Amino acid sequence: MAQALADRDMRAVLAIYRRWTGASQPQIAAMTGVPQPAISTILSGKRHVSSIEIFEKFASGLDIPRALLGLADDDDAIQPGKPATRRGAILDVPASRSRSVDAGVDALVRLWQADQEQPRQAHGAPVDPAIWTEAALDWLLHSTDRTTREPSTGRRVGIADVEALQTTTGMFADLDNRYGGGHARTAFVQFLSGDVEAMMRGQYTTEVGPRLYSAVAEALLLAAWMAYDSGLHGLAQRYFLPALHVAQTGGDRMLAGSVLSAMSHQASFLGEFQHAANLARAAATGTAAVATPTLTAQFHAMEARAYARLGDPSACDAALTAAERAFNRRNPTDDPAFISYFDEAELSAEFGHCFRDLGRAAGARTWAGRSVGANADGAFPRSDFFAAMVLADAHLDHGDPEPACRVALQALQIGEQLKSARCAAYVQEFRTRLTKVGTSSIAREFTEQAETFRLWTAAA
């Protein structure tokens, strides 16, 4: 792709773009304003693009950074619907990776300081969907690290320091799973702004460096998930980006793909379903040569979730089939630790989500029920909550309010310990479905009991 853009070979660029996003010729025409017959002749090789106007239409419509097509950068121009100074704000983390590790650390420090010292501005940061496309394209275009690092006079960092970081991140991840992103997020950010900054500015060998970057990327990914789960979506996006870039710096392509998959998860939650599908496909495409079957299955599951929300059953079914096929080849001993959570219960939950969103209530009940049954140990309360709420939704959609309300009450009981905006959103979705039952005695009795639970009140 990098060479195709450098050569301004739009035939190759469009072919790669279609393979990555699955966009059809009419869709590309609608996005760019270039007529579909012209798109067809470019793809067939009958027409070579040389017009600056056409290059600009492709750059704008496909969210390709203008500089990659040799066009003048217009970042400073005010465009309708976009902030006038996106890159100048205190929370900005550039979509293209910094060429200096130290400059990247400086950007992280500004992010941590804003998160702690200017919470109103940081927590109210808007989501910029264009950043998702820029980040995925940059990652796909540059398969190898291109960063540089100045000699450091900081403290020495060894493998023991990296292992301590991983252990601490794991501890906070467990708190996040058990109590939600809002429980210990502030403490985790304080830890990152202290210990992690010192480590990244320290002295370390070429052996330690990649392991350090991967550990830091995992920590940043957790910070992003915590912000996302807390409903701080713009802030979460600002954590996802450096997580992607630092993983790339460490040469950890599987972890970088997992970051893109997490971005896809957030995009689906925010209703940006096409972006979500593109991000998940980018994760699968960019890791095809290195990902374990478990990772590949998770990427396809995220793509399926996006297509289910888009109301595209054929694309969703194809992605679910690919996920199941990859999952059946898995060997958990080969998987990196960060994907160990994706087991049979998680895959079943993804099927349940997709079937619910496609209106297949019977299938949703089957798959969500499997997930609920498989999570009997209670090690992941938030995941248990999500699966239970999907099962409750499916019961309602199937016309069975009594089991729906019973399961929802069980979920609300689990939710008493969770500080999670996402959990509140699931409850709100159930409340919306419950209105179809009307004022039946089952609904009235359930509502009286539900009003005693914190998440039910929060959803209201």
Side-chain angles (χ1 to χ4, degrees), residues 101-131:
V101 170
D102 295 314
V105 178
D106 291 340
L108 281 174
V109 170
R110 291 194 298 273
L111 176 59
W112 292 327
Q113 287 177 340
D115 193 354
Q116 296 176 88
E117 300 170 9
Q118 300 179 15
R120 180 172 297 182
Q121 179 178 352
H123 298 173
V127 170
D128 185 349
I131 288 178

Short mmCIF file of all heavy atoms in Angstrom, two decimals, residues 101-131:
data_model
loop_
_atom_site.label_atom_id
_atom_site.label_comp_id
_atom_site.label_asym_id
_atom_site.label_seq_id
_atom_site.Cartn_x
_atom_site.Cartn_y
_atom_site.Cartn_z
N VAL A 101 10.83 8.07 20.07
CA VAL A 101 10.24 7.49 21.26
C VAL A 101 10.05 8.54 22.33
O VAL A 101 9.02 8.61 23.00
CB VAL A 101 11.11 6.33 21.78
CG1 VAL A 101 10.62 5.86 23.15
CG2 VAL A 101 11.08 5.16 20.79
N ASP A 102 11.06 9.42 22.50
CA ASP A 102 10.97 10.45 23.53
C ASP A 102 9.83 11.42 23.26
O ASP A 102 9.16 11.87 24.20
CB ASP A 102 12.30 11.19 23.63
CG ASP A 102 13.43 10.27 24.11
OD1 ASP A 102 13.19 9.53 25.08
OD2 ASP A 102 14.49 10.27 23.51
N ALA A 103 9.61 11.76 22.00
CA ALA A 103 8.48 12.63 21.67
C ALA A 103 7.16 11.93 22.00
O ALA A 103 6.20 12.57 22.45
CB ALA A 103 8.52 13.01 20.20
N GLY A 104 7.12 10.61 21.79
CA GLY A 104 5.92 9.87 22.15
C GLY A 104 5.67 9.88 23.64
O GLY A 104 4.52 9.99 24.09
N VAL A 105 6.74 9.78 24.44
CA VAL A 105 6.59 9.85 25.89
C VAL A 105 6.08 11.22 26.31
O VAL A 105 5.22 11.35 27.19
CB VAL A 105 7.92 9.52 26.60
CG1 VAL A 105 7.75 9.65 28.11
CG2 VAL A 105 8.38 8.11 26.24
N ASP A 106 6.60 12.26 25.67
CA ASP A 106 6.14 13.62 25.98
C ASP A 106 4.63 13.74 25.74
O ASP A 106 3.92 14.35 26.54
CB ASP A 106 6.87 14.64 25.10
CG ASP A 106 8.34 14.78 25.48
OD1 ASP A 106 8.70 14.40 26.60
OD2 ASP A 106 9.12 15.26 24.63
N ALA A 107 4.15 13.14 24.65
CA ALA A 107 2.72 13.18 24.35
C ALA A 107 1.92 12.43 25.42
O ALA A 107 0.84 12.85 25.83
CB ALA A 107 2.45 12.59 22.97
N LEU A 108 2.46 11.29 25.87
CA LEU A 108 1.78 10.53 26.91
C LEU A 108 1.72 11.32 28.22
O LEU A 108 0.69 11.30 28.91
CB LEU A 108 2.51 9.21 27.15
CG LEU A 108 2.25 8.10 26.13
CD1 LEU A 108 3.16 6.91 26.41
CD2 LEU A 108 0.80 7.67 26.16
N VAL A 109 2.81 11.99 28.55
CA VAL A 109 2.83 12.79 29.78
C VAL A 109 1.74 13.86 29.73
O VAL A 109 1.03 14.10 30.72
CB VAL A 109 4.22 13.42 29.99
CG1 VAL A 109 4.18 14.44 31.12
CG2 VAL A 109 5.24 12.33 30.30
N ARG A 110 1.59 14.52 28.57
CA ARG A 110 0.54 15.54 28.45
C ARG A 110 -0.85 14.92 28.63
O ARG A 110 -1.74 15.52 29.25
CB ARG A 110 0.64 16.24 27.09
CG ARG A 110 1.87 17.12 26.92
CD ARG A 110 1.73 18.03 25.71
NE ARG A 110 1.61 17.30 24.47
CZ ARG A 110 2.64 16.89 23.73
NH1 ARG A 110 3.89 17.14 24.14
NH2 ARG A 110 2.45 16.23 22.60
N LEU A 111 -1.00 13.72 28.10
CA LEU A 111 -2.28 13.02 28.23
C LEU A 111 -2.56 12.69 29.68
O LEU A 111 -3.67 12.94 30.20
CB LEU A 111 -2.26 11.75 27.38
CG LEU A 111 -3.48 10.83 27.46
CD1 LEU A 111 -4.75 11.56 27.03
CD2 LEU A 111 -3.26 9.59 26.60
N TRP A 112 -1.59 12.12 30.38
CA TRP A 112 -1.78 11.76 31.79
C TRP A 112 -2.04 12.99 32.64
O TRP A 112 -2.88 12.97 33.54
CB TRP A 112 -0.54 11.02 32.31
CG TRP A 112 -0.36 9.67 31.69
CD1 TRP A 112 -1.34 8.82 31.29
CD2 TRP A 112 0.89 9.02 31.41
NE1 TRP A 112 -0.78 7.68 30.77
CE2 TRP A 112 0.57 7.76 30.83
CE3 TRP A 112 2.23 9.35 31.59
CZ2 TRP A 112 1.56 6.86 30.43
CZ3 TRP A 112 3.21 8.45 31.20
CH2 TRP A 112 2.87 7.22 30.63
N GLN A 113 -1.31 14.06 32.37
CA GLN A 113 -1.50 15.29 33.16
C GLN A 113 -2.91 15.85 32.94
O GLN A 113 -3.57 16.27 33.90
CB GLN A 113 -0.45 16.32 32.77
CG GLN A 113 0.95 16.00 33.28
CD GLN A 113 1.99 17.00 32.81
OE1 GLN A 113 1.78 17.72 31.83
NE2 GLN A 113 3.12 17.06 33.50
N ALA A 114 -3.34 15.86 31.69
CA ALA A 114 -4.69 16.37 31.42
C ALA A 114 -5.74 15.50 32.08
O ALA A 114 -6.73 16.00 32.64
CB ALA A 114 -4.92 16.42 29.91
N ASP A 115 -5.54 14.19 32.05
CA ASP A 115 -6.50 13.27 32.65
C ASP A 115 -6.64 13.52 34.15
O ASP A 115 -7.75 13.46 34.71
CB ASP A 115 -6.04 11.83 32.39
CG ASP A 115 -7.10 10.79 32.69
OD1 ASP A 115 -8.16 11.16 33.22
OD2 ASP A 115 -6.87 9.60 32.41
N GLN A 116 -5.52 13.83 34.82
CA GLN A 116 -5.53 14.01 36.27
C GLN A 116 -5.79 15.46 36.71
O GLN A 116 -6.50 15.68 37.69
CB GLN A 116 -4.18 13.58 36.85
CG GLN A 116 -3.88 12.09 36.65
CD GLN A 116 -2.49 11.74 37.14
OE1 GLN A 116 -2.30 11.42 38.31
NE2 GLN A 116 -1.51 11.80 36.26
N GLU A 117 -5.21 16.42 35.96
CA GLU A 117 -5.24 17.80 36.42
C GLU A 117 -6.33 18.65 35.76
O GLU A 117 -6.72 19.69 36.30
CB GLU A 117 -3.88 18.45 36.16
CG GLU A 117 -2.73 17.75 36.89
CD GLU A 117 -1.37 18.23 36.46
OE1 GLU A 117 -1.32 19.24 35.71
OE2 GLU A 117 -0.36 17.61 36.83
N GLN A 118 -6.80 18.22 34.59
CA GLN A 118 -7.85 18.97 33.90
C GLN A 118 -8.97 17.99 33.51
O GLN A 118 -9.26 17.80 32.33
CB GLN A 118 -7.29 19.66 32.65
CG GLN A 118 -6.18 20.66 32.96
CD GLN A 118 -5.63 21.31 31.71
OE1 GLN A 118 -6.23 21.23 30.65
NE2 GLN A 118 -4.49 21.95 31.83
N PRO A 119 -9.58 17.35 34.49
CA PRO A 119 -10.54 16.29 34.18
C PRO A 119 -11.73 16.75 33.36
O PRO A 119 -12.23 15.99 32.52
CB PRO A 119 -10.98 15.79 35.58
CG PRO A 119 -10.65 16.92 36.51
CD PRO A 119 -9.43 17.56 35.94
N ARG A 120 -12.19 17.99 33.57
CA ARG A 120 -13.36 18.44 32.81
C ARG A 120 -13.06 18.46 31.31
O ARG A 120 -13.86 18.00 30.49
CB ARG A 120 -13.80 19.83 33.27
CG ARG A 120 -15.02 20.36 32.52
CD ARG A 120 -15.54 21.64 33.13
NE ARG A 120 -16.03 21.43 34.48
CZ ARG A 120 -16.57 22.38 35.23
NH1 ARG A 120 -16.68 23.62 34.76
NH2 ARG A 120 -16.98 22.12 36.45
N GLN A 121 -11.89 18.98 30.96
CA GLN A 121 -11.51 19.03 29.54
C GLN A 121 -11.19 17.63 29.02
O GLN A 121 -11.62 17.24 27.94
CB GLN A 121 -10.29 19.93 29.34
CG GLN A 121 -9.83 20.02 27.89
CD GLN A 121 -8.65 20.96 27.73
OE1 GLN A 121 -8.26 21.66 28.66
NE2 GLN A 121 -8.07 20.98 26.54
N ALA A 122 -10.42 16.87 29.81
CA ALA A 122 -10.00 15.55 29.36
C ALA A 122 -11.18 14.61 29.22
O ALA A 122 -11.33 13.90 28.22
CB ALA A 122 -8.98 14.98 30.33
N HIS A 123 -12.05 14.59 30.23
CA HIS A 123 -13.14 13.63 30.23
C HIS A 123 -14.25 14.01 29.25
O HIS A 123 -15.06 13.17 28.88
CB HIS A 123 -13.71 13.48 31.64
CG HIS A 123 -12.70 12.97 32.62
ND1 HIS A 123 -12.95 12.89 33.98
CD2 HIS A 123 -11.43 12.52 32.44
CE1 HIS A 123 -11.88 12.40 34.59
NE2 HIS A 123 -10.94 12.18 33.68
N GLY A 124 -14.26 15.26 28.82
CA GLY A 124 -15.25 15.68 27.84
C GLY A 124 -14.73 15.69 26.41
O GLY A 124 -15.40 16.20 25.51
N ALA A 125 -13.54 15.13 26.21
CA ALA A 125 -12.95 15.13 24.87
C ALA A 125 -13.85 14.39 23.87
O ALA A 125 -14.36 13.32 24.18
CB ALA A 125 -11.57 14.46 24.91
N PRO A 126 -14.06 14.96 22.69
CA PRO A 126 -14.92 14.31 21.71
C PRO A 126 -14.21 13.18 20.98
O PRO A 126 -12.98 13.12 20.92
CB PRO A 126 -15.25 15.45 20.73
CG PRO A 126 -14.01 16.31 20.79
CD PRO A 126 -13.54 16.25 22.22
N VAL A 127 -14.99 12.27 20.45
CA VAL A 127 -14.46 11.20 19.59
C VAL A 127 -14.34 11.73 18.17
O VAL A 127 -15.23 12.43 17.68
CB VAL A 127 -15.39 9.97 19.62
CG1 VAL A 127 -14.99 8.95 18.58
CG2 VAL A 127 -15.36 9.33 21.01
N ASP A 128 -13.23 11.42 17.53
CA ASP A 128 -13.02 11.81 16.13
C ASP A 128 -12.95 10.54 15.29
O ASP A 128 -11.91 9.86 15.27
CB ASP A 128 -11.73 12.62 15.99
CG ASP A 128 -11.52 13.16 14.58
OD1 ASP A 128 -12.27 12.74 13.68
OD2 ASP A 128 -10.62 13.98 14.39
N PRO A 129 -14.02 10.15 14.58
CA PRO A 129 -14.00 8.91 13.80
C PRO A 129 -12.88 8.85 12.76
O PRO A 129 -12.39 7.76 12.44
CB PRO A 129 -15.38 8.90 13.13
CG PRO A 129 -16.24 9.71 14.04
CD PRO A 129 -15.35 10.80 14.55
N ALA A 130 -12.46 10.00 12.23
CA ALA A 130 -11.40 10.00 11.22
C ALA A 130 -10.10 9.43 11.79
O ALA A 130 -9.28 8.86 11.06
CB ALA A 130 -11.17 11.41 10.70
N ILE A 131 -9.90 9.58 13.10
CA ILE A 131 -8.68 9.07 13.73
C ILE A 131 -8.60 7.56 13.58
O ILE A 131 -7.52 6.99 13.40
CB ILE A 131 -8.63 9.49 15.21
CG1 ILE A 131 -8.33 10.99 15.31
CG2 ILE A 131 -7.57 8.70 15.97
CD1 ILE A 131 -8.29 11.52 16.74
#
